């Protein structure tokens, strides 16, 4: 089964609108030289305040915006109401998003997001016709205690609970070991592939083989232009969720270019 790779840039809480637009233009000018089938699926997740700025310059090459998709970094599961500071799936869609990242470890850690909340968000995103990028990952303590697989399997089972196999098949999971995020320390690609295979087995158990074969599972955590080729050469790594290296057009474009050397 061949799965189209995804290279996603998570800009986190960085860049003002003008800076976001400039960086986006820098990525756009790189991808314009390729046809959509040559490229991995490129997804950019700016801050909420830059979503419209970025979506408005998304693509004018006649590809219908296919070359670069836009993602929100979070959403609420309710459609509307008294939830100060939150945005709904429909609002993200209205701002040009096709994807929404949920369950990032920074949201779990600093905003007390639980597996149950992440499951509600995943359901709302799929019901709204968008695609969730569901993050999971272990802390260094959990890894050292030998409970990585158990912890991640619990996160995935909870996130996918009550979601149809068809919807699971279209979803995206990002395995991001917390100790590798922003530390410059990537998880060894053979080990990342092993964990991702384990995640695929959990998906198979929960949603069947078709969903497990279709779902795209990314690796995230200090991905750089120099690491992506080896990561993309692994059997089960379907792409990357990139933080720091997505904040410069040169390094992000090089990640896309190096991905095309291996896969697509
Ligand atoms: P870094 O690439 O900066 O380690 O961040 C990874 C990440 O958290 C992407 O969501």
């Amino acid at each position: 089964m061949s799965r189209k790779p995804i290279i996603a840039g998570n800009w986190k809480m960085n860049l003002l609108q003008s800076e976001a637009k400039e960086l986006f233009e820098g990525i756009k000018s790189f991808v314009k030289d390729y046809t959509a089938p040559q490229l991995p699926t490129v997804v950019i997740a700016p801050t909420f305040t830059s979503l419209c700025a970025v979506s408005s310059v998304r693509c004018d090459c006649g590809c219908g915006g296919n070359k670069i998709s836009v993602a929100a970094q979070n959403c609420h599961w309710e459609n509307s109401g008294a939830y100060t500071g939150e945005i709904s799936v429909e609002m993200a869609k209205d701002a040009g998003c096709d994807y929404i990242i949920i369950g990032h470890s920074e949201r779990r850690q600093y905003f007390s997001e639980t597996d149950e909340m992440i499951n509600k968000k995943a359901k709302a995103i799929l019901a709204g016709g968008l695609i969730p990028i569901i993050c999971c990952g272990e802390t260094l303590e959990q890894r050292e205690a030998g409970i990585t697989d158990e912890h991640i399997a619990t996160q995935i089972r909870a996130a996918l609970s009550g979601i149809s196999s068809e919807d699971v098949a279209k979803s995206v999971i990002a395995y991001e070991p917390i100790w590798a995020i922003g530390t410059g320390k990537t998880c060894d690609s053979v080990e990342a592939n092993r964990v991702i295979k384990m995640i695929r087995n959990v998906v198979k158990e929960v949603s069947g083989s078709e969903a497990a074969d279709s779902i795209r599972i990314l690796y995230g955590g200090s991905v750089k232009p120099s690491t992506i080729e080896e990561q993309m050469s692994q059997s089960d790594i379907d792409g990357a969720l990139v933080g720091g290296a997505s904040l410069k057009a040169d390094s992000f474009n090089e990640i896309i270019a190096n991905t095309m050397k291996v896969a697509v």
Side-chain angles (χ1 to χ4, degrees), residues 11 14 31 36 39 43 51 55 57 74 106 115 160 170 172 177 182 200 237 253 258:
W11 290 354
N14 293 294
V31 302
L39 288 163
V43 181
L51 280 176
S55 297
V57 292
N74 180 35
E106 288 148 16
D115 284 339
L160 302 181
K170 329 178 190 147
V172 177
R200 211 177 287 289
I237 302 183
N253 291 342
N258 290 347

Side-chain angles (χ1 to χ4, degrees), residues 5 11 58 75 85 98 101 141-142 166 174 196-197 210-211 241 248 264:
W11 290 354
R58 198 158 137 175
C75 68
D98 298 310
I101 297 173
E141 293 68 36
Q142 287 165 329
E166 295 70 39
I196 286 176
K197 263 191 174 164
E210 244 174 76
L241 182 54
K248 292 267 180 304
V264 188

Side-chain angles (χ1 to χ4, degrees), residues 87-109:
I87 71 160
S88 70
V89 173
E90 201 184 356
M91 289 166 189
K93 196 172 174 179
D94 190 42
C97 296
D98 298 310
Y99 295 80
I100 304 184
I101 297 173
I102 52 172
H104 193 282
S105 60
E106 288 148 16
R107 299 236 29 114
R108 294 179 191 255
Q109 184 183 351

